[in-house]
Amino acid sequence: MTQTEQAEARPRLGRKRDHTRDPEILSAALDVLAETGYDGMTIDLVAARAKAGKATVYRRWSSKADLVLDAVACMKGNDLDLDHLPDTGTLRGDLIAMVKPPSIRDSERKLKVMAGIVSMIARNPELAAAAHKALVEPRAAVNRVFFQRAIDRGEVLPGLDVEKLCMVGPAMVAYRTLMLRIPVDREFLISNIDEIILPAAGLRAA
């Protein structure tokens, strides 16, 4: 073995990188991003919110873009379990069963994060993909389950454009929150279901 190979094989000394604070830092990054937007966000602000040293953040993420990408990618779909969703026997019942205060708060936070990264998404395809996976896909996946159930029990016709219908609700919420800057509430979400989604699926609200 050459001296170079021996040097490469020798264990490197130094402090191991501590990842225990990553969740706190990533959560702080999302909070700052939602409040200030990408352009106004700084590593200093994130470190202060997480009560961490700036050096700690920089050791883990070399740039603001890297930190935002990881933070967005780590957002959870509100811990939705597709195998244990509400099953009320009707499409309307299933959709309304998901309109709960925790779900509404989670959606509003995600929309604020989305608003914060709009300026960056067009320049960063990787961030755009991560944003779609974390902010849009979880609820779309739930809606697919509900529509497939409705198709299976003959409640709606199988020729429906399910993918398009799954996006109607999130699009209405995004427009209200980001463009009109009006908070989302239960009444608004149920009106979307009864006046837009169900009629588009060929159903009437009960």
Side-chain angles (χ1 to χ4, degrees):
M1 183 180 291
T2 67
Q3 289 184 342
T4 301
E5 290 173 334
Q6 290 175 350
E8 290 177 348
R10 190 180 302 128
R12 295 182 179 181
L13 301 177
R15 182 187 299 175
K16 289 185 177 180
R17 184 174 290 168
D18 182 7
H19 293 277
T20 59
R21 298 220 56 200
D22 284 8
E24 297 171 52
I25 296 171
L26 292 172
S27 180
L30 291 173
D31 288 341
V32 173
L33 187 60
E35 293 171 7
T36 69
Y38 182 83
D39 294 334
M41 175 183 173
T42 66
I43 296 296
D44 284 356
L45 288 174
V46 173
R49 179 66 62 90
K51 294 181 174 59
K54 186 166 65 172
T56 299
V57 179
Y58 272 118
R59 275 197 299 269
R60 183 69 178 85
W61 296 277
S62 61
S63 69
K64 180 172 72 170
D66 289 340
L67 174 58
V68 169
L69 179 60
D70 271 6
V72 171
C74 288
M75 290 187 77
K76 297 180 180 180
N78 202 26
D79 295 322
L80 294 172
D81 183 351
L82 297 183
D83 294 325
H84 296 88
L85 295 173
D87 190 353
T88 66
T90 68
L91 178 59
R92 181 179 189 271
D94 290 349
L95 291 171
I96 289 180
M98 295 299 295
V99 180
K100 301 174 288 189
S103 178
I104 294 173
R105 288 193 297 270
D106 180 66
S107 295
E108 286 188 338
R109 183 174 189 248
K110 287 183 175 182
L111 284 168
K112 289 179 181 178
V113 169
M114 183 179 290
I117 60 176
V118 164
S119 65
M120 188 65 181
I121 283 179
R123 305 193 299 269
N124 190 324
E126 191 176 3
L127 179 59
H132 182 272
K133 183 176 180 180
L135 305 176
V136 177
E137 180 55 28
R139 183 45 60 98
V142 170
N143 289 344
R144 288 189 200 103
V145 172
F146 291 159
F147 274 101
Q148 189 57 54
R149 285 180 187 168
I151 291 171
D152 291 344
R153 60 178 169 251
E155 186 181 3
V156 299
L157 297 176
L160 286 175
D161 188 340
V162 172
E163 285 301 313
K164 186 178 294 182
L165 287 173
C166 286
M167 297 306 300
V168 171
M172 294 292 292
V173 170
Y175 180 78
R176 180 181 174 94
T177 304
L178 303 181
M179 301 301 294
L180 301 182
R181 297 189 179 277
I182 301 174
V184 171
D185 54 24
R186 179 179 174 83
E187 181 180 2
F188 171 76
L189 295 174
I190 292 178
S191 71
N192 279 347
I193 294 170
D194 288 341
E195 298 171 16
I196 299 174
I197 298 174
L198 293 182
L203 298 174
R204 291 185 177 182

